[in-house]
Short mmCIF file of all heavy atoms in Angstrom, two decimals:
data_model
loop_
_atom_site.label_atom_id
_atom_site.label_comp_id
_atom_site.label_asym_id
_atom_site.label_seq_id
_atom_site.Cartn_x
_atom_site.Cartn_y
_atom_site.Cartn_z
N ASN B 165 -18.29 -70.87 20.82
CA ASN B 165 -17.74 -71.81 21.80
C ASN B 165 -18.01 -73.26 21.39
O ASN B 165 -17.17 -74.14 21.53
CB ASN B 165 -18.34 -71.52 23.18
CG ASN B 165 -17.74 -72.38 24.26
OD1 ASN B 165 -16.54 -72.35 24.48
ND2 ASN B 165 -18.57 -73.18 24.90
N ALA B 166 -19.23 -73.49 20.85
CA ALA B 166 -19.57 -74.84 20.41
C ALA B 166 -18.68 -75.28 19.25
O ALA B 166 -18.33 -76.45 19.14
CB ALA B 166 -21.05 -74.89 20.00
N GLN B 167 -18.31 -74.32 18.39
CA GLN B 167 -17.40 -74.66 17.28
C GLN B 167 -16.05 -75.13 17.83
O GLN B 167 -15.45 -76.06 17.31
CB GLN B 167 -17.19 -73.45 16.37
CG GLN B 167 -18.34 -73.16 15.44
CD GLN B 167 -18.54 -74.27 14.42
OE1 GLN B 167 -17.59 -74.84 13.91
NE2 GLN B 167 -19.79 -74.59 14.14
N VAL B 168 -15.59 -74.45 18.85
CA VAL B 168 -14.29 -74.83 19.44
C VAL B 168 -14.39 -76.21 20.08
O VAL B 168 -13.53 -77.07 19.87
CB VAL B 168 -13.83 -73.77 20.47
CG1 VAL B 168 -12.57 -74.25 21.19
CG2 VAL B 168 -13.57 -72.43 19.78
N THR B 169 -15.46 -76.43 20.83
CA THR B 169 -15.57 -77.72 21.52
C THR B 169 -15.80 -78.86 20.53
O THR B 169 -15.38 -80.00 20.79
CB THR B 169 -16.72 -77.70 22.56
OG1 THR B 169 -17.92 -77.32 21.91
CG2 THR B 169 -16.42 -76.72 23.67
N ARG B 170 -16.42 -78.56 19.39
CA ARG B 170 -16.59 -79.61 18.37
C ARG B 170 -15.25 -80.10 17.85
O ARG B 170 -15.14 -81.18 17.30
CB ARG B 170 -17.42 -79.06 17.21
CG ARG B 170 -18.91 -79.25 17.39
CD ARG B 170 -19.68 -78.69 16.23
NE ARG B 170 -19.27 -79.26 14.96
CZ ARG B 170 -19.71 -78.83 13.78
NH1 ARG B 170 -20.54 -77.82 13.73
NH2 ARG B 170 -19.30 -79.39 12.66
N LEU B 171 -14.23 -79.25 18.00
CA LEU B 171 -12.90 -79.64 17.53
C LEU B 171 -12.14 -80.45 18.58
O LEU B 171 -10.96 -80.76 18.39
CB LEU B 171 -12.09 -78.38 17.19
CG LEU B 171 -12.53 -77.62 15.93
CD1 LEU B 171 -11.83 -76.26 15.86
CD2 LEU B 171 -12.26 -78.44 14.68
N GLY B 172 -12.82 -80.77 19.67
CA GLY B 172 -12.15 -81.45 20.78
C GLY B 172 -11.33 -82.66 20.37
O GLY B 172 -10.15 -82.79 20.71
N GLU B 173 -11.95 -83.56 19.62
CA GLU B 173 -11.23 -84.78 19.22
C GLU B 173 -10.08 -84.45 18.28
O GLU B 173 -9.00 -85.05 18.36
CB GLU B 173 -12.20 -85.77 18.54
CG GLU B 173 -13.07 -86.51 19.54
CD GLU B 173 -13.97 -87.53 18.87
OE1 GLU B 173 -13.64 -87.97 17.74
OE2 GLU B 173 -14.99 -87.89 19.46
N ALA B 174 -10.32 -83.49 17.40
CA ALA B 174 -9.27 -83.10 16.46
C ALA B 174 -8.09 -82.47 17.20
O ALA B 174 -6.92 -82.71 16.86
CB ALA B 174 -9.82 -82.13 15.42
N ILE B 175 -8.39 -81.68 18.23
CA ILE B 175 -7.32 -81.07 19.03
C ILE B 175 -6.50 -82.16 19.71
O ILE B 175 -5.27 -82.14 19.72
CB ILE B 175 -7.93 -80.09 20.08
CG1 ILE B 175 -8.52 -78.87 19.39
CG2 ILE B 175 -6.86 -79.68 21.10
CD1 ILE B 175 -9.32 -77.95 20.32
N GLN B 176 -7.22 -83.15 20.26
CA GLN B 176 -6.52 -84.25 20.94
C GLN B 176 -5.67 -85.04 19.95
O GLN B 176 -4.53 -85.43 20.26
CB GLN B 176 -7.54 -85.17 21.61
CG GLN B 176 -6.92 -86.24 22.49
CD GLN B 176 -6.16 -85.64 23.68
OE1 GLN B 176 -6.72 -84.91 24.47
NE2 GLN B 176 -4.86 -85.94 23.79
N ALA B 177 -6.20 -85.24 18.74
CA ALA B 177 -5.45 -86.00 17.73
C ALA B 177 -4.18 -85.25 17.32
O ALA B 177 -3.11 -85.85 17.15
CB ALA B 177 -6.34 -86.25 16.51
N VAL B 178 -4.30 -83.94 17.16
CA VAL B 178 -3.13 -83.12 16.83
C VAL B 178 -2.08 -83.25 17.94
O VAL B 178 -0.88 -83.44 17.68
CB VAL B 178 -3.54 -81.64 16.63
CG1 VAL B 178 -2.33 -80.72 16.69
CG2 VAL B 178 -4.27 -81.47 15.31
N ALA B 179 -2.54 -83.17 19.18
CA ALA B 179 -1.62 -83.25 20.31
C ALA B 179 -0.96 -84.63 20.35
O ALA B 179 0.25 -84.75 20.59
CB ALA B 179 -2.36 -82.97 21.61
N ASP B 180 -1.74 -85.67 20.10
CA ASP B 180 -1.18 -87.03 20.13
C ASP B 180 -0.10 -87.20 19.07
O ASP B 180 0.96 -87.79 19.33
CB ASP B 180 -2.30 -88.07 19.90
CG ASP B 180 -3.25 -88.16 21.09
OD1 ASP B 180 -2.88 -87.66 22.18
OD2 ASP B 180 -4.35 -88.71 20.93
N ARG B 181 -0.37 -86.69 17.87
CA ARG B 181 0.64 -86.80 16.81
C ARG B 181 1.90 -86.04 17.20
O ARG B 181 3.03 -86.48 16.95
CB ARG B 181 0.08 -86.27 15.48
CG ARG B 181 -0.91 -87.21 14.81
CD ARG B 181 -1.09 -86.85 13.33
NE ARG B 181 -1.75 -85.57 13.11
CZ ARG B 181 -3.08 -85.39 13.13
NH1 ARG B 181 -3.88 -86.43 13.36
NH2 ARG B 181 -3.59 -84.20 12.93
N ALA B 182 1.70 -84.86 17.81
CA ALA B 182 2.86 -84.06 18.23
C ALA B 182 3.70 -84.82 19.26
O ALA B 182 4.93 -84.83 19.20
CB ALA B 182 2.40 -82.72 18.78
N VAL B 183 3.03 -85.46 20.19
CA VAL B 183 3.75 -86.19 21.23
C VAL B 183 4.53 -87.36 20.61
O VAL B 183 5.66 -87.66 21.03
CB VAL B 183 2.76 -86.71 22.30
CG1 VAL B 183 3.44 -87.68 23.26
CG2 VAL B 183 2.16 -85.53 23.07
N SER B 184 3.95 -87.97 19.59
CA SER B 184 4.59 -89.15 19.00
C SER B 184 5.91 -88.81 18.31
O SER B 184 6.73 -89.68 18.09
CB SER B 184 3.64 -89.83 18.01
OG SER B 184 3.51 -89.05 16.84
N VAL B 185 6.10 -87.54 17.95
CA VAL B 185 7.36 -87.16 17.29
C VAL B 185 8.23 -86.28 18.19
O VAL B 185 9.28 -85.77 17.76
CB VAL B 185 7.10 -86.41 15.96
CG1 VAL B 185 6.40 -87.35 14.97
CG2 VAL B 185 6.28 -85.14 16.18
N ALA B 186 7.80 -86.10 19.45
CA ALA B 186 8.48 -85.14 20.32
C ALA B 186 9.93 -85.50 20.60
O ALA B 186 10.73 -84.63 20.93
CB ALA B 186 7.71 -85.00 21.65
N GLY B 187 10.30 -86.78 20.45
CA GLY B 187 11.67 -87.18 20.76
C GLY B 187 12.62 -87.08 19.57
O GLY B 187 13.82 -87.32 19.72
N LEU B 188 12.10 -86.71 18.41
CA LEU B 188 12.96 -86.64 17.22
C LEU B 188 13.95 -85.48 17.33
O LEU B 188 13.68 -84.49 18.02
CB LEU B 188 12.10 -86.43 15.96
CG LEU B 188 11.17 -87.57 15.55
CD1 LEU B 188 10.36 -87.15 14.31
CD2 LEU B 188 11.97 -88.83 15.24
N PRO B 189 15.08 -85.57 16.65
CA PRO B 189 15.96 -84.40 16.57
C PRO B 189 15.19 -83.25 15.93
O PRO B 189 14.37 -83.50 15.03
CB PRO B 189 17.10 -84.87 15.67
CG PRO B 189 17.02 -86.36 15.65
CD PRO B 189 15.60 -86.73 15.90
#
Side-chain angles (χ1 to χ4, degrees):
Chain B
N165 185 59
Q167 283 295 322
V168 173
T169 55
R170 271 179 56 187
L171 290 169
E173 283 183 22
I175 291 171
Q176 188 63 57
V178 164
D180 290 344
R181 285 198 293 277
V183 170
S184 72
V185 296
L188 293 178

